Amino acid sequence: MNTVITGAYIATVDGHDTEHADGYLAIVDGRIAAVGSGAVPAEYADLNRVDASGCLVTPGLVNTHHHLYQWATRGYAQQEDLFGWLTALYPVWAGIDADIVAATSAAGLGMLALSGCTTAADHHYVFPRDGGDVFGALVDAGRRIGIRLHAVRGSMDRGESDGGLPPDSIVETTSAALEHTEQAIGEYHDPAPDARIQVAVGPCSPFSASLDLMRGAAEIARRHGVRLHTHLAETKDEQEQCQREFGKTPVEYAESLGWLGDDVWLAHGVHLDGDEIPLMARTGTGIAHCPSSNARVAAGMAPVRALLDAGAPVGLGVDGVASNESGGLAEELRQALLTARQRGGADSLTARQALRIGTIGGARCLGRQDHIGSIEPGKQADLAVWRLDTLAHAGIVDPVAALVFGRVPPLELLLVGGEQVVENNRLLTADEPTLTQALQTACSRLVSG
């Protein structure tokens, strides 16, 4: 439906950080037609009106790193660092199947939508031998919930018998992983600007994917014009293991394999050496910053301020909810701001810079900055409308600060391509009690084995 939103405070997150204290926003055929202050222009005056008085309108948030299947394993390994956490959880994840992935993915995407997220990248790399079509189940869940999904076809070919952490039962052969990755691109990837489903290529990490898999995956991705994603430089243990195995830092190893470039975004980037930060900027390699998850497993704090100053693309990620039990993206705005200030001082990140990371920064990581991530005419109408005239936010003089510094506001509307996904803090595309019951069943099945 063609619509004009009126009476709102609008933070466009455009190149000039334009804001409108009493703004209007016209949506025509799923795209932003006009945005400005004051009276609605005559050409849009007859559109369906939405009174957003007392609300803040922002671009929809962009989640650059997630593992939706992990919704079935929240609360495990609570005192473990990353390697201990993985060692505890891999045997549990060996029991997932297509039904469990369908339930966890729908539940996780629903929660992301309720937290203002209109685009999510999910990195799925666990493929049990008898699990069925788990990747297809992930894509189907994306279509059901209705936010944009970057389905990252992950892979692992280094199991325990080959020096890796995961059980052999959930890794693939190198040839099978590459074959299935190429099949996923052919079956699901939509390159259109308004695509709801896109596929990326994502071997899990240098320690669960062989050199041949990393190189082969990059070749497939570039042949098909899709993006590359992996975990990198997350922990000190990873740094040390990479030096032992390859005589290189993780970034040096990635560079040697052709895994840096403007078609690559990396999860975490916590432990980057001084020369590696400008390298990210020069190559256009993106970083998915996951502050809550990094804190949960005591990985450290990514050098976000330095990355931004260098000009590297930086987006925001929830990460899997086995290491971030909340699972919402809006709260990561606040966590990113606080983490940056813990690392570098009170001026390290502003509320608007945090919002920029969570919107256009994420769009840049996913290669979609020309179509989503900011409120500008011609872009997709992916919008979050936050209600701020509540007890929790009334009196905070700056609406953007209310969103980022305060608790997550109620979501009045969430639009994806102009279509309503959330209204009055309620998911419209799926029944929440049904999602909850399916998730509970999936959790019980996984635990019982």
Side-chain angles (χ1 to χ4, degrees), residues 38-270:
V40 176
E43 61 189 300
Y44 306 115
D46 293 334
L47 298 184
N48 176 62
R49 290 206 176 211
V50 173
D51 181 3
S53 301
C55 294
L56 166 69
V57 181
T58 69
L61 303 182
V62 178
N63 180 17
T64 58
H65 186 64
H66 209 98
H67 306 295
L68 287 163
Y69 73 89
Q70 292 182 13
W71 273 87
T73 54
R74 288 184 287 174
Y76 286 60
Q78 295 174 25
Q79 275 72 254
E80 295 289 349
D81 63 11
L82 180 65
F83 277 20
W85 176 87
L86 286 170
T87 301
L89 281 163
Y90 269 135
V92 183
W93 295 336
I96 68 170
D97 59 20
D99 289 340
I100 289 172
V101 170
T104 53
S105 297
L109 289 168
M111 286 299 294
L112 284 169
L114 289 165
S115 74
C117 179
T118 52
T119 299
D122 187 68
H123 189 190
H124 189 96
Y125 53 84
V126 176
F127 293 91
R129 290 170 188 167
D130 299 321
D133 186 8
V134 293
F135 196 75
L138 164 63
V139 171
D140 287 344
R143 290 171 174 157
R144 177 184 178 190
I145 300 301
I147 69 173
R148 301 187 198 279
L149 174 65
H150 280 244
V152 183
R153 208 299 178 176
S155 52
M156 300 186 290
D157 65 349
R158 289 185 64 188
E160 288 177 319
S161 63
D162 196 29
L165 287 176
D168 289 347
S169 64
I170 61 172
V171 304
E172 302 170 283
T173 65
T174 307
S175 60
L178 294 173
E179 178 185 351
H180 295 152
T181 296
E182 195 153 25
Q183 287 174 352
I185 297 168
E187 187 167 356
Y188 299 119
H189 180 66
D190 180 356
D194 61 349
R196 295 295 178 99
I197 305 292
Q198 293 197 338
V199 174
V201 175
C204 180
S205 74
F207 308 109
S208 55
S210 68
L211 183 151
D212 288 341
L213 179 54
M214 294 291 288
R215 283 181 171 160
E219 189 277 327
I220 287 172
R222 287 173 175 142
R223 176 152 41 88
H224 289 280
V226 302
R227 299 183 76 75
L228 283 161
H229 184 55
T230 193
H231 299 89
L232 203 78
E234 186 174 2
T235 67
K236 289 182 179 179
D237 288 341
E238 177 188 340
Q239 297 281 98
E240 293 167 1
Q241 185 173 345
C242 201
Q243 288 286 1
R244 287 196 305 270
E245 287 199 30
F246 310 117
K248 296 178 173 70
T249 69
V251 171
E252 290 169 342
Y253 180 64
E255 185 179 26
S256 73
L257 299 177
W259 264 81
L260 299 183
D262 62 5
D263 59 349
V264 179
W265 86 105
L266 305 170
H268 305 300
V270 173

Side-chain angles (χ1 to χ4, degrees), residues 278-299:
L279 179 62
M280 296 296 107
R282 287 198 305 274
T283 58
T285 305
I287 297 294
H289 177 40
C290 305
S292 290
S293 177
N294 291 154
R296 166 51 152 100
V297 297

